[in-house]
Amino acid sequence: ASLAGFGIAALAASKLGEASTGPRRGAASVVRRAEEASTKAADDSDSDVEEGEAEQVVEVFAQGLVGGESAFSTGTYNFDPAGFAVRFPQYLPWFREAELKHGRVAMLAIVGMIVPDFVRIPGPPECYQSSVLDAINACGPFLLPYKFERFPPWFTDPGLTFEHGVLFGPFVFCGIIEMVTTYPKIIQDVTLANAGDYRLGVNFLPKEEDKAKLVRLQELKNGRLAMLAFGGAITQAALTGNGFPWLF
């Protein structure tokens, strides 16, 4: 009888122990699952932030180059119909280099189209007293010894030579300057920071970054306008054969 009572007492004690430890084990498992859920939520939040940052980087037009600002509002006008900024991002510095150079040359060219009709300097009449187009034909760097035809004469006369005009010297000089200034950039590679920068006129840039950015934007927009203006001016001059304002 004593052994049976002892067994019953031991069984009762074990059941009481399971009853007392069961809630603690359940609470611990609930806490562990809550911690795992919190960690997973934090990881998902971090991944969402990283994806949002990646999308934001992709949405920046032309890697943040100046030039997309609208001239008539505070917004931007990102004009890239061919998608060069997206298709060839590695060439963006060279695109900006070319745009700035063409814009600067066009600004000089449009001035050279207008000023000679009002101011003349002494020189040969065929170069300095005629219209701009006639002066180019008479004194350009290369004088073509024939009129424009469907089949140029060098197809039948390989020994045909071209004469050098008065402007051949300045033409060669500009070519040398172009090679000397461009070759280092080819070796060192052009970046978004130094595209179009030849350290000329940097002393005139404002010290404040926002004002310096405005000056760069003004140069870019004036260059774009000059390219359009010169294209229209030279076309009109060729059609009419007259000087400024190149009307019939």
Side-chain angles (χ1 to χ4, degrees):
S2 60
L3 291 175
F6 181 77
I8 292 172
L11 180 61
S14 65
K15 293 297 183 181
L16 289 173
E18 291 178 358
S20 62
T21 57
R24 288 197 297 271
R25 291 177 181 176
S29 64
V30 170
V31 171
R32 185 170 58 253
R33 287 197 297 269
E35 291 176 350
E36 292 175 354
S38 177
T39 303
K40 184 176 183 299
D43 294 340
D44 293 341
S45 177
D46 292 340
S47 64
D48 292 339
V49 171
E50 291 176 357
E51 291 177 358
E53 292 177 351
E55 292 177 357
Q56 184 177 3
V57 171
V58 172
E59 292 176 357
V60 174
F61 178 75
Q63 301 181 24
L65 278 176
V66 65
E69 293 80 356
S70 174
F72 306 101
S73 66
T74 56
T76 58
Y77 187 73
N78 299 326
F79 183 76
D80 186 20
F84 288 137
V86 178
R87 294 162 55 194
F88 309 105
Q90 68 275 23
Y91 297 129
L92 271 178
W94 285 108
F95 293 157
R96 176 48 54 88
E97 177 91 4
E99 182 181 22
L100 282 170
K101 278 191 176 182
H102 282 79
R104 291 164 180 168
V105 171
M107 285 188 281
L108 294 173
I110 193 62
V111 172
M113 286 285 294
I114 298 174
V115 171
D117 285 330
F118 299 95
V119 179
R120 298 283 181 166
I121 60 176
E126 63 275 11
C127 299
Y128 294 89
Q129 303 301 324
S130 57
S131 66
V132 174
L133 286 183
D134 292 337
I136 293 174
N137 291 329
C139 307
F142 300 102
L143 304 182
L144 303 179
Y146 65 92
K147 294 182 180 180
F148 287 100
E149 300 174 356
R150 183 176 181 183
F151 297 102
W154 59 67
F155 284 117
T156 57
D157 186 5
L160 185 65
T161 59
F162 296 92
E163 298 180 4
H164 295 159
V166 175
L167 295 179
F168 180 75
F171 176 81
V172 173
F173 177 76
C174 292
I176 294 174
I177 295 297
E178 180 71 14
M179 288 187 293
V180 170
T181 56
T182 304
Y183 181 74
K185 289 196 171 186
I186 296 175
I187 300 300
Q188 301 173 3
D189 203 4
V190 178
T191 64
L192 295 177
N194 66 9
D197 184 7
Y198 291 93
R199 312 308 299 169
L200 296 175
V202 292
N203 295 330
F204 297 98
L205 280 176
K207 302 301 181 183
E208 298 81 359
E209 182 60 30
D210 56 340
K211 293 182 179 180
K213 181 179 178 181
L214 178 61
V215 172
R216 294 188 180 95
L217 179 63
Q218 291 172 343
E219 180 191 23
L220 194 61
K221 286 186 174 289
N222 279 281
R224 291 169 177 172
L225 180 61
M227 286 188 280
L228 293 173
F230 180 77
I234 197 67
T235 301
Q236 191 77 358
L239 292 175
T240 64
N242 298 324
F244 181 81
W246 312 293
L247 301 176
F248 286 102

